[in-house]
Structures are given as C-alpha cells and as structure tokens.
Amino acid sequence: MKEFMIALQSGKTPLYEQIYQAIKRDIEDGKIPYGEKLPSTRLLAVNLNVSRFTVELAYEQLVSEGYIQARAGSGFFVCDLSNLFSGITGGEQLGIAVSQAVDQQPDIRIDFSPFAIDAVHFPYKVWKKRNREVMDENTDILTAREAAGDRGLRETIATYLYRARGVHCAPDQILIGAGNEYLLLLLIQMLGGGCSVLMENPTYMQAYEVFRHAGCQVNLGAVDEEGLLLSALDASLAEVVYVMPSHQFPMGTVMPLMRRQELLEWAAAAEGRYIIEDDHDSEFRYVGKPIPSLQSRDQNDCVIYFGTFSKSISPALRMSYMVLPRHLSERFHREYDFYSSTVPTGQQLAVQRFMESGDFERHLNRMRRVYKAKHDFLLKELKKRSWVRCIRGENAGLHLVVEVSGCRSEAELLAAALERGVRVYGMSDYRIVCGMREEPVTLLLGFGGLSEQELTEGLAVLDDLLTGEKEDG
Amino acid sequence: MKEFMIALQSGKTPLYEQIYQAIKRDIEDGKIPYGEKLPSTRLLAVNLNVSRFTVELAYEQLVSEGYIQARAGSGFFVCDLSNLFSGITGGEQLGIAVSQAVDQQPDIRIDFSPFAIDAVHFPYKVWKKRNREVMDENTDILTAREAAGDRGLRETIATYLYRARGVHCAPDQILIGAGNEYLLLLLIQMLGGGCSVLMENPTYMQAYEVFRHAGCQVNLGAVDEEGLLLSALDASLAEVVYVMPSHQFPMGTVMPLMRRQELLEWAAAAEGRYIIEDDHDSEFRYVGKPIPSLQSRDQNDCVIYFGTFSKSISPALRMSYMVLPRHLSERFHREYDFYSSTVPTGQQLAVQRFMESGDFERHLNRMRRVYKAKHDFLLKELKKRSWVRCIRGENAGLHLVVEVSGCRSEAELLAAALERGVRVYGMSDYRIVCGMREEPVTLLLGFGGLSEQELTEGLAVLDDLLTGEKEDG
C-alpha cells in the first residue's frame, strides 16, 4: 500500500482530483505497473481519511480516461499503457504561443479600397435600436433559424427585391448565407460539383477562387464596353456564366438590354445552363433609375441572383442571399437543408426590423446622396489631372476606373503610393492573366470610405508620383 | 415628332422617368422602329417644355439599358430589339408569391431534442451588456475581420482551449466560422477534395451529409462501449477519421486513453492521415473533471480539433472554430484566406468580451449545475420505469440514451408520441443503415431545453405508450 500514501493538501484543488492526479502520475511514471490491482475504494478511503465517494470519483475519472479498468467483482486494475508516454513532452513545456509576429503592415493613411463603405454616415443609433429591440425579445434569439434563413426575413427580402430590382421570387427561393463565397460553395454542390464556368475577365477574384478551389473549370471571356463578349460562350462550352450585368466589377460597365437578352437566350437553348447574376452594388446608381435585374427578364428559370448587404449595410455583417430558380430551391429544401443556417438569429431579426421599419430605405437614400457627392467630387478632381487618360465606370458603385499615364507599371505605382501611406488598387489584381498583351496602367479608386479631404490628399500623392515619373520618362 | 408628344404629369414620378417610360414603351410596342433617330435632347426639351438635362437623363437611362444608342456627332438611334419582347409577360402579372403554405407541424408541447439548450437560465442581461458595449464602439463594428476570424477572439479561444481542454495551439491555427458544416467544407477543400473518411456509426448526421455531398468516400465503423472499433481503420483505407472521443454523439461513450493512443499511432503511421476530433459538448460533464482532448496528446500534427459555441452559448449564434495542425493552418493563410470570415464582426467582438470578462466561465459553471440537476432528475425518473432496459451516455452532455422495451418499432413510438405533442428522437435517425440487423428500440432523450415539470409530463406520455403497448403485445 505504500504507493498509495498520497499527500493530500487542503486548499483549492478538490480531494478527488488530488487522488486522481497522484495515481495517474504514478501510472504514467511506471510506478504502478500494468495489471496491478488498485486498493479497493473502501480501503483507500480509510487510509487517506477521505469519504469513499471521493475515491470513487477519482477512480471513475481514471476509468473514463482509460488509465484503469474495473473488472466486475474483483476490483480496479491498471491498463496496459506500454509505449504510451515515451515520446510525450509535458503539456506545460509545449505551452501556448499566444503572441505571434503580426504582419508588418505599412502605415496606411488613405485607402482607396473599392470595397470600403462610409462609416461616418452609418445610422448607428437606429441600428443599435433595432438590435436592442431584438435582444429584448429574449428567448427568441436563442433559437436557430431555418436552413435557408429566417422566413420573415426572406419575405422582407423578396418584397424588397421585387420593388427595387424587379426580381420575381417566392421567399422559398431565397437562401440567406454568410457571404457570397459560402453561398457559391453551396450552389456549386447543388449544380453537381465541378461544372464548367465562364467568367468575365477582369472579374471579382474571390468568386474566381471559389470556383477554382471547388474543382470547377473556369473559362474566361473578354469584356468590351457593354460587358461580356458572348462569343466566348460558344467557344467555352461552359454550362454556367457568372456575370455582373448591372455594374460589372471592376470595369463598371452596364450590359445593355440586347446583350442581356442574348445571354438569356443562350441559357434557355440547352438544359442545365445557368446564369449567375451578381448584383453586388446595384443600390448605388447616381444618374437615372436603377437598371432592372437580369433575373426580372428570365422566363426560363435559369438565372441565379446574388445580392449582398456588404455595401448597403456593412461588410462586417457577413450577410448575402441568393435567389434560386424554383427547381433548384426545391432541390435545396429536399436535399441540402441539413446545412444549418450560417447567419446568427439575432442578426437576421435585426436586419428584418431595419428593413421593415423603413430604416433601410432611408439609409440607402442618404448614402446615395453621400456617395454621389464623393463620386462627383472625385470625378471633377480627376478630370483636372493631366495624368488621367480616361475614366470609366462612373455614375454608379463605390469606385472609379482610371487609366493613367506617367508610370511604367502598376506594381511600381502601387508600391510607391503605399510607401507614401496611400493604398491604391490596380486593375491587374482583378485580371486573370491569359496572354502577354501589355495592358495600360489602370487604377481602381474606391471613394466609399474616404472624405473629400482624404480624397484630395490621396490624389496629391498620385500627382507627385505620376508627374514626377513623367518628367523622368 | 408626333410620337414624342409625351403627356407629362406633375406629381411624384420625376419628369425624366416619365419621358424614359414613355419612349421605352413606344420602343417595346414597336411604335418607334429599329434604326429610327430620336429627336435631339435640345429639341425634345423645347417641345416638352422641360430642361434639357431632364431629357438627357432619360436618354442616358435608355442608353444604359440598351434601348437606344448614341452615335457620335449624329444623335440617338433606336436599337434592334427584334424578338425581344415577344414572349415576355409583364412583371406585374407574374407578381410575387409571398404567402406560401407553411409546413404543417403538429403542435409540440414537449421536445426532447438533444440539441436544445436551457433558455431560462441564459444570462440575457450580461449578454446584452456585452453586445451593447461592442455597438457603442461604433465604427469598429463596420470593419470586416480577418478571414480566420478576429485575432483578439482567436487569442481568447486559444487561451480558453488550453486551460479547459488541454489543446495546444497558436491563435494562427484557429479558424472561426459560421458553424461546423461550413468549417468542414473548408477543411475538405484543404485536404484536397474527395478524401476517404471513416466515421463512427451511429454518428452526427450533418457531418456525414457534408462529407457525402462534398464528394468524400465515407466508410463506417462500428462502435462499442469504448467508442470506435479501430479494426475498421485498416479495413477502410481511410485517410481521415471523424471521431468524438470525449463524448460520442449520439452514444455518449468516452474513448479511453489506450484507444486514443492507438488512434494517434494510426494517424502518425502514414503521411496525410488526419483525425478530426469533434469536441461538441465537452463543457458539460457532471462527474469528475473534463477529459483532456485528443489534440492535447497529438505529437504529430495530425489532429484537427472542432469546437462550437452552439451548446455553451447558443445554437442561434452559428459560431464554431477549428484548430488546424500547423502545416494546414499555414496552407489556409497562404492559399485559402480569400474566403472572407463568415461570422459578423459585432458578434465576434461580443463573444470575446463575454469570454474575457469571465462571464463565459460563470455561465458555464451555472449551466453545469442547471444541466446536472436536470440530468440527475431524468436519470432518477428513468430508473423507476419498467420499460427502460438500459441507460447509456450518462454523466455528460445534454441527452441520455435509453433502450426501451414495450413497442415494436422506433418509428411507431416516435409517431405515437408526436401525436400526443411529445417529440422524442430515435437512434435510427443517427445510424447509417448498413445491414438488416435488428436494433433494439433506443431513444435519445435530450433534457437541456426542458424543465423538470416538462420532463415529467413527457415521461408520462411515454409511460402511457410503452406500458399500453406492452399489454397488447
């Protein structure tokens, strides 16, 4: 019984745990060998002057972790742990590397990100109010919602999409998810995995990466000032086309009605063809009315419509939705609704209140004015510049496309600007390289997150870089 | 010029839109044929007595939608829209089917769901406080976080996992995502797509479905009272094993140390083998201390650890995390961080505060007491029943596994209970059928979401059904 004279200490650690730890240590160290019978719980309790229950608890723990085993009627025996602890370092030595070298980021004063939104005019008060209301409902926020998203929110989105974008759909056709990439992953599964996709080039790179990593064959089609050249469709044998007809990213072009119709006809001409319409920033159009969605003209259930709250509310919300053709939404509800919803209940309910109360529409109207002012200001300023060759993609969205002269390469310009604390984005980042054709240096200048003051400062840095270079070259 | 005598109305619709609508209608109806030149903006403005800008706006809209096109120096011409409107029904007629038949659900008074949590003792006040604090930070909640999740939260989770589960990891190895299924999808991609997986049978069906739909080959291994039988590993040629060693779902078994070690040795024996450890409800263990994770004993970087807040906070949160071995986390940061985070910023920050303030630990301690009381009550009540053959999976988690006598089939019992307003769950729902072997009728009785009163009422219905049947059979 010597091995079991455990020195118990009064204090924070429960007695049963001290016993468990001591025996465990002795087993690991080989002090109590394989097959050895442990003293009965009664005997050990008497020896250690503790309750029998305390010893039972310790033994139970050792049993559940596999150190000892109970043999009915004959007591507890040490398990065979040969070779178990040979190579094992103590957990304490491995420790935990909490502090990691954070990526060295240059200090960026001005970021022309095309994805940034205005944080100054965000309706914090109203947003907080809607969230507070939802949290005050208490138990409702603890219940997970339907796989496709909360039904009430889907109804609200369906109504909104019909009024704002001419999209025809029942709430059952809507699938709310944690961002476009997740929804694309689901969609690719529903379409049967590695399908053949045609994308515009340049395009939205995250979607391109999702397709590629999901095993799809991605074909690229050139764009002109009316969007995707449809000749690429026949050449590619693609089954799925991914387009942004209302405001192509990054080019900013609008696909005219005629080409839209041709695209729809292509899809209708064969079974299993789909058009993915990414309507990412249709809310912000500064001249004329919004252009109706491609989905609104679809008579053959072949358009899959993608929308997002990333620009209309915030990218931090991680909330998008897709509108499936009826047969695909039925397939989702039949085969795929084992996928739990990816959006927190509380947030779904808050967004629904935000939309139904009219807050959303008021917010969009205000932001349209705010962004239009920034857009007009940047446009006016750019037009004064000698280094601006041409400007594209104006009148909508949150960025302008600017072809510039005065520097040898985009990469050089981006790096030089970054060194001055200004981050600008080059078209090459969104162009999937296909040939060796020399492309003109083209910048994407996002204005959503910048004030007039910041836009001015950022342009001044570009002035320096581009007119300086010019004099050299 | 007769076609262009548009009757403008004062009122809500802007003038430019009335002009746009009128011309669009005339083009669609064929009243203005293909190739026709439109009057100049100046002339039409004079005729309609509106500003020239108004007409320009209308024309611009028609151009952007492809109805007309501008030819430099010669004016605006109608585009060729042949066959465009032939089959198109008006959008208004298609309408919008907002009201859908909601699934007919029987009225359920008592739901023994193994996934339900206690909504009565949830710390609403504290939870609201943490959320309010985050929202008061304003602009911070509008910025999307890193692909892997907010760094601060990852640090907090790493510390928690080390203390609570013995998990060794740096924050960079943690990937926060919108639920286990999404994280599994990502992981499958990182492991190269359709890998060969071995799962316990019965198992967590959602994970099974994810593997299957992602093109993995899923092999099934039988379980005994120590968890997965490892003989299945050699038989299956699987590269990946999905296990729940600390508390198998649905069986409730704990894998003892010896088998854990054998499993780790299997993984270490060949390149590219992985163990996915789903540690879904390790927080709730009512006897002894929590069993350390399998990951804590992994010396070869082959365990991928999954944790979730679904039971420890709420399933409505949609928040899980996985801990990747170093080489996989490096692969994620190198190749896969184009996937935006799937969890809203505000919620990540709120959970971090909840954890760092000690609220989380206090909450877990309270819930452990609450659930233990329910667990003990249900166990005591079940032991009184003659129809209870045996009880498994006690001392942890939020459900008990009960083998019952007195009825012919699980399906019949479930249906009869449902008719009485009581939902119980059968083991067959979690067992992937492999053979024709007759299995005993086994229920999963979740107690997390039910009060003692409800547990009593639910058991009374089972009493009626099972002792009634007994007398018949």
Side-chain angles (χ1 to χ4, degrees):
Chain A
M1 286 302 299
K2 250 184 185 160
E3 291 98 332
F4 297 98
M5 284 317 297
I6 301 162
L8 297 179
Q9 297 168 328
S10 64
K12 272 190 142 181
T13 313
L15 291 175
Y16 88 88
E17 193 177 332
Q18 295 186 42
I19 299 169
Y20 152 80
Q21 289 288 2
I23 300 178
K24 181 181 146 186
R25 205 180 312 115
D26 284 354
I27 294 174
E28 289 184 355
D29 295 349
K31 288 185 190 157
I32 319 178
Y34 162 54
E36 178 103 350
K37 188 183 173 186
L38 294 197
S40 71
T41 52
R42 195 187 49 78
L43 194 60
L44 188 57
V46 170
N47 274 341
L48 296 179
N49 195 23
V50 298
S51 83
R52 192 166 164 187
F53 177 70
T54 300
V55 179
E56 280 170 354
L57 216 52
Y59 277 23
E60 197 162 349
Q61 188 68 29
L62 290 163
V63 168
S64 74
E65 293 190 16
Y67 285 94
I68 61 174
Q69 60 189 61
R71 290 189 204 144
S74 56
F76 294 89
F77 296 82
V78 174
C79 294
D80 179 12
L81 306 175
S82 49
N83 297 320
L84 195 59
F85 300 99
S86 49
I88 297 187
T89 332
E92 295 68 23
Q93 290 172 41
L94 280 171
I96 178 169
V98 167
S99 66
Q100 288 273 320
V102 174
D103 288 353
Q104 283 295 323
Q105 293 277 10
D107 186 26
I108 297 163
R109 284 178 301 117
I110 293 158
D111 189 339
F112 279 95
S113 168
F115 301 110
I117 61 163
D118 183 291
V120 178
H121 297 86
F122 186 81
Y124 294 102
K125 220 169 131 184
V126 176
W127 181 247
K128 275 191 238 179
K129 184 161 177 271
R130 299 300 166 212
N131 276 279
R132 206 164 49 234
E133 284 168 4
V134 167
M135 281 194 289
D136 286 341
E137 287 167 7
N138 282 341
T139 60
D140 211 29
I141 56 163
L142 295 188
T143 318
R145 286 317 202 253
E146 298 97 304
D150 180 69
R151 178 157 197 94
L153 177 57
R154 281 184 285 135
E155 281 176 6
T156 305
I157 290 176
T159 308
Y160 165 74
L161 283 179
Y162 179 62
R163 279 171 39 200
R165 309 293 301 126
V167 169
H168 297 286
C169 68
D172 280 349
Q173 291 172 258
I174 296 180
L175 221 158
I176 301 167
N180 281 21
E181 292 109 75
Y182 170 69
L183 290 173
L184 258 190
L185 276 180
L186 269 196
L187 179 62
I188 293 166
Q189 277 202 4
M190 279 193 268
L191 297 180
C195 47
S196 176
V197 184
L198 180 71
M199 297 187 84
E200 297 153 322
N201 184 21
T203 189
Y204 181 58
M205 288 305 282
Q206 285 182 282
Y208 170 75
E209 292 293 349
V210 171
F211 283 123
R212 223 169 51 85
H213 282 84
C216 296
Q217 196 202 319
V218 185
N219 308 278
L220 301 168
V223 294
D224 64 9
E225 65 279 8
E226 298 192 337
L228 182 69
L229 284 165
L230 300 191
S231 53
L233 280 170
D234 305 314
S236 72
L237 299 175
E239 306 152 286
V240 177
V241 184
Y242 181 96
V243 286
M244 294 170 268
S246 296
H247 191 229
Q248 207 271 346
F249 185 86
M251 299 300 284
T253 46
V254 177
M255 188 182 283
L257 199 56
M258 201 59 218
R259 197 172 286 185
R260 287 174 185 230
Q261 190 59 26
E262 281 171 38
L263 192 57
L264 288 169
E265 277 164 17
W266 165 84
E271 196 73 24
R273 285 183 177 172
Y274 292 101
I275 303 164
I276 300 176
E277 174 181 22
D278 183 355
D279 203 29
H280 59 105
D281 68 356
S282 55
E283 294 84 3
F284 302 117
R285 196 169 153 74
Y286 312 120
V287 174
K289 345 184 282 122
I291 297 153
S293 67
L294 189 61
Q295 201 268 7
S296 69
R297 295 216 162 266
D298 175 23
Q299 299 295 307
N300 298 287
D301 265 6
C302 49
V303 173
I304 297 150
Y305 176 94
F306 272 71
T308 175
F309 291 107
S310 283
K311 282 176 178 164
S312 57
I313 300 182
S314 162
L317 211 57
R318 310 311 309 137
M319 199 160 162
S320 296
Y321 46 85
M322 61 177 170
V323 179
L324 296 168
R326 266 176 205 287
H327 60 283
L328 280 185
S329 70
E330 281 158 15
R331 191 183 301 168
F332 175 81
H333 289 285
R334 203 170 52 235
E335 292 173 39
Y336 291 87
D337 71 353
F338 66 87
Y339 283 110
S340 309
S341 169
T342 44
V343 184
T345 299
Q347 191 177 277
Q348 295 192 51
L349 299 179
V351 168
Q352 195 196 338
R353 273 171 191 266
F354 191 68
M355 293 180 85
E356 286 204 332
S357 58
D359 298 336
F360 185 54
E361 208 167 321
R362 277 187 290 276
H363 169 57
L364 286 180
N365 287 337
R366 182 172 51 228
M367 295 318 291
R368 217 172 278 123
R369 280 199 306 275
V370 168
Y371 289 139
K372 184 178 189 317
K374 294 185 184 193
H375 164 274
D376 292 354
F377 177 80
L378 179 59
L379 197 60
K380 189 188 76 195
E381 285 300 314
L382 284 170
K383 282 179 175 166
K384 294 179 191 165
R385 263 63 185 184
S386 61
W387 49 266
V388 171
R389 268 200 192 145
C390 78
I391 303 168
R392 279 193 296 262
E394 66 271 38
N395 299 334
L398 302 183
H399 75 280
L400 293 173
V401 177
V402 187
E403 208 179 299
V404 308
S405 60
C407 71
R408 269 179 300 262
S409 83
E410 259 173 52
E412 272 176 35
L413 179 57
L414 267 52
L418 203 59
E419 204 144 287
R420 300 278 297 270
V422 175
R423 176 167 277 166
V424 287
Y425 297 77
M427 182 60 79
S428 359
D429 291 339
Y430 303 93
R431 193 179 277 129
I432 303 137
V433 179
C434 300
M436 298 298 290
R437 192 157 68 97
E438 191 89 24
E439 300 282 353
V441 174
T442 307
L443 298 180
L444 270 64
L445 297 181
F447 50 81
L450 299 175
S451 65
E452 291 196 1
Q453 175 64 26
E454 287 166 326
L455 289 170
T456 305
E457 280 179 44
L459 287 178
V461 168
L462 290 178
D463 285 339
D464 269 7
L465 295 172
L466 289 166
T467 49
E469 280 269 338
K470 211 173 198 171
E471 283 158 17
D472 294 338
Chain B
M1 285 304 298
K2 250 186 183 157
E3 291 99 332
F4 297 99
M5 284 316 297
I6 300 161
L8 297 178
Q9 297 167 328
S10 63
K12 272 190 140 180
T13 314
L15 290 176
Y16 88 87
E17 194 178 332
Q18 294 186 41
I19 299 169
Y20 152 79
Q21 288 288 2
I23 299 177
K24 180 181 149 188
R25 205 181 312 115
D26 284 355
I27 293 174
E28 288 185 354
D29 295 349
K31 286 185 190 158
I32 319 179
Y34 162 56
E36 179 102 350
K37 188 184 173 186
L38 295 196
S40 70
T41 52
R42 195 188 48 78
L43 194 61
L44 188 57
V46 171
N47 273 343
L48 297 179
N49 196 24
V50 297
S51 83
R52 191 167 164 186
F53 178 69
T54 301
V55 178
E56 279 171 355
L57 216 52
Y59 276 24
E60 197 162 348
Q61 187 68 28
L62 290 164
V63 168
S64 74
E65 293 189 15
Y67 285 94
I68 62 174
Q69 60 189 64
R71 291 189 203 144
S74 56
F76 294 90
F77 295 83
V78 174
C79 294
D80 179 11
L81 307 175
S82 48
N83 297 320
L84 196 59
F85 299 99
S86 49
I88 298 186
T89 332
E92 294 70 21
Q93 291 171 39
L94 281 172
I96 179 168
V98 166
S99 67
Q100 288 272 321
V102 174
D103 288 353
Q104 283 295 322
Q105 294 276 9
D107 186 26
I108 297 164
R109 284 178 301 118
I110 293 158
D111 190 339
F112 279 95
S113 168
F115 301 109
I117 61 163
D118 183 292
V120 177
H121 297 85
F122 186 82
Y124 294 102
K125 220 170 130 183
V126 176
W127 181 248
K128 275 191 241 179
K129 184 161 176 271
R130 298 301 166 211
N131 275 278
R132 206 165 48 233
E133 284 168 4
V134 167
M135 281 194 288
D136 285 342
E137 287 167 6
N138 281 343
T139 60
D140 211 29
I141 56 163
L142 295 187
T143 318
R145 288 315 202 253
E146 299 97 306
D150 180 70
R151 181 161 192 92
L153 177 57
R154 281 184 285 136
E155 281 175 7
T156 305
I157 290 176
T159 308
Y160 165 73
L161 282 180
Y162 179 63
R163 279 170 39 200
R165 309 293 301 126
V167 168
H168 297 286
C169 68
D172 280 348
Q173 291 172 258
I174 295 179
L175 220 158
I176 300 167
N180 281 22
E181 293 109 77
Y182 170 70
L183 290 173
L184 259 190
L185 277 180
L186 269 196
L187 178 63
I188 294 166
Q189 277 201 3
M190 278 192 270
L191 296 180
C195 46
S196 177
V197 184
L198 181 71
M199 298 186 83
E200 297 153 323
N201 184 23
T203 189
Y204 181 55
M205 288 303 282
Q206 285 182 282
Y208 171 74
E209 293 292 348
V210 171
F211 283 123
R212 223 169 50 85
H213 282 84
C216 297
Q217 197 201 320
V218 185
N219 308 277
L220 301 169
V223 294
D224 64 9
E225 64 279 7
E226 298 192 337
L228 183 69
L229 285 165
L230 299 190
S231 53
L233 279 170
D234 305 314
S236 72
L237 300 175
E239 305 153 286
V240 177
V241 185
Y242 182 97
V243 287
M244 295 170 270
S246 297
H247 191 229
Q248 206 270 346
F249 185 87
M251 299 300 284
T253 46
V254 177
M255 188 182 283
L257 198 54
M258 202 58 219
R259 199 173 285 185
R260 288 175 185 229
Q261 190 58 26
E262 280 170 39
L263 192 56
L264 288 169
E265 277 164 16
W266 165 84
E271 195 73 26
R273 285 184 178 172
Y274 291 100
I275 302 164
I276 301 176
E277 174 181 23
D278 183 354
D279 203 29
H280 58 104
D281 67 358
S282 55
E283 295 84 3
F284 302 117
R285 197 171 152 75
Y286 313 120
V287 174
K289 348 185 281 122
I291 297 153
S293 66
L294 189 61
Q295 202 267 7
S296 69
R297 295 219 161 265
D298 175 23
Q299 298 296 306
N300 298 287
D301 266 6
C302 48
V303 172
I304 298 150
Y305 175 94
F306 271 72
T308 174
F309 291 107
S310 284
K311 281 175 178 163
S312 58
I313 301 182
S314 163
L317 212 57
R318 310 310 311 135
M319 199 159 161
S320 297
Y321 46 85
M322 61 178 170
V323 179
L324 296 168
R326 266 175 207 288
H327 61 284
L328 280 185
S329 71
E330 281 158 16
R331 191 183 302 168
F332 174 80
H333 290 286
R334 201 171 53 235
E335 291 173 39
Y336 290 87
D337 72 351
F338 67 87
Y339 282 111
S340 310
S341 168
T342 45
V343 184
T345 299
Q347 192 176 275
Q348 296 191 52
L349 299 179
V351 168
Q352 196 196 338
R353 273 172 190 265
F354 191 68
M355 293 180 85
E356 286 204 332
S357 58
D359 297 335
F360 184 55
E361 209 168 319
R362 278 187 291 276
H363 169 57
L364 286 180
N365 287 337
R366 182 171 51 225
M367 294 319 291
R368 217 173 277 124
R369 281 199 304 277
V370 168
Y371 289 139
K372 184 178 188 319
K374 293 185 186 194
H375 164 273
D376 292 353
F377 178 79
L378 180 60
L379 196 60
K380 189 187 75 193
E381 285 299 314
L382 284 171
K383 282 179 175 166
K384 294 180 192 165
R385 263 63 185 185
S386 61
W387 48 265
V388 171
R389 269 200 192 149
C390 78
I391 302 169
R392 280 193 295 262
E394 65 272 37
N395 298 335
L398 301 182
H399 77 279
L400 292 173
V401 177
V402 187
E403 208 179 298
V404 307
S405 60
C407 71
R408 269 179 300 262
S409 83
E410 258 173 53
E412 271 176 35
L413 179 59
L414 267 52
L418 204 57
E419 204 144 287
R420 300 277 297 270
V422 175
R423 176 168 278 168
V424 287
Y425 297 77
M427 182 61 80
S428 359
D429 290 341
Y430 302 93
R431 193 178 277 130
I432 303 136
V433 179
C434 301
M436 298 299 290
R437 193 157 68 97
E438 193 89 23
E439 299 283 354
V441 174
T442 307
L443 299 181
L444 270 64
L445 297 182
F447 51 81
L450 299 175
S451 65
E452 290 196 2
Q453 175 63 26
E454 287 166 326
L455 288 169
T456 305
E457 279 180 44
L459 287 177
V461 168
L462 290 178
D463 285 339
D464 269 7
L465 294 173
L466 289 166
T467 49
E469 279 268 337
K470 211 174 198 172
E471 282 157 18
D472 294 337

